Amino acid sequence: MARPRSLPDAVVHETICRLLAADGDRGVSFGTVSRATGLAAATLAGRYGTRDAMVRAALGDFWDRVEAATEAAGAEGKAPAFLKAISPAADPHLVSLTLAMPDLRHRAEVWRQQVEAALALRLGRAEPAAMMFALWQGQRIWQPAGGRGFRLKDAAKRLGQAL
């Protein structure tokens, strides 16, 4: 079967993000992206120049999707529903990978502040909002290892009672 000559950047970026989430930073090369997309490695090199530029472009797109999901979730009234609405877009492995990249770290920090501010509106104070954010991120990181017993709505109730 012939290789496709082109794919939209969004499709390539989603593929790169899937590889990053599954295999980490070392799982992405022109070769692995070429195999996953069907594009020639030379096409990818011509489009992005370097592997790092390719990864950064994909993570930039990732943050665009996270920010759009966060904005769309603004209509959710309760804290757990707000976080649940954001969760599909905000892969915790990609968030943590971004924290190691100085040029993208700022986007992660601004997003955390936005989410915590939105939680503070729902919970009534900033401190429980910061704790809820940390609980949510921790839960998402550990869920694949069997940490499914924790429920955000129970944490929201406990944090509300602590006020």
Side-chain angles (χ1 to χ4, degrees):
M1 180 156 86
R3 288 181 179 266
R5 292 188 149 248
S6 76
L7 284 175
D9 281 339
V11 173
V12 176
H13 294 167
E14 286 179 30
T15 301
I16 294 166
C17 286
R18 264 196 317 277
L19 291 169
L20 287 168
D23 302 321
D25 190 44
R26 293 179 184 239
V28 175
S29 66
F30 286 133
T32 59
V33 175
S34 172
R35 284 188 294 280
T37 62
L39 293 173
T43 300
L44 294 165
R47 186 182 291 189
Y48 297 104
T50 67
R51 177 211 166 275
D52 286 346
M54 179 176 67
V55 168
R56 280 175 168 62
L59 288 172
D61 237 16
F62 162 74
W63 280 107
D64 290 345
R65 290 190 304 274
V66 170
E67 290 162 358
T70 303
E71 187 175 323
E76 296 293 341
K78 295 189 177 183
F82 173 72
L83 294 175
K84 188 175 181 179
I86 300 170
S87 288
D91 183 287
H93 299 92
L94 297 179
V95 171
S96 65
L97 181 63
T98 302
L99 294 175
M101 299 177 168
D103 53 328
L104 290 173
R105 179 184 205 138
H106 178 71
R107 287 186 82 174
E109 291 170 347
V110 167
W111 173 73
R112 179 190 51 81
Q113 291 168 358
Q114 291 170 337
V115 172
E116 286 184 5
L119 290 170
L121 288 174
R122 289 159 175 83
L123 297 173
R125 286 190 20 218
E127 186 176 325
M131 289 189 296
M132 183 107 181
F133 180 85
L135 288 168
W136 172 58
Q137 287 294 288
Q139 175 198 31
R140 299 201 63 228
I141 290 169
W142 286 102
Q143 262 182 342
R148 299 193 189 322
F150 177 81
R151 292 176 20 178
L152 282 172
K153 70 180 186 178
D154 293 339
K157 287 178 190 173
R158 289 185 197 124
L159 288 171
Q161 290 171 354
L163 301 175

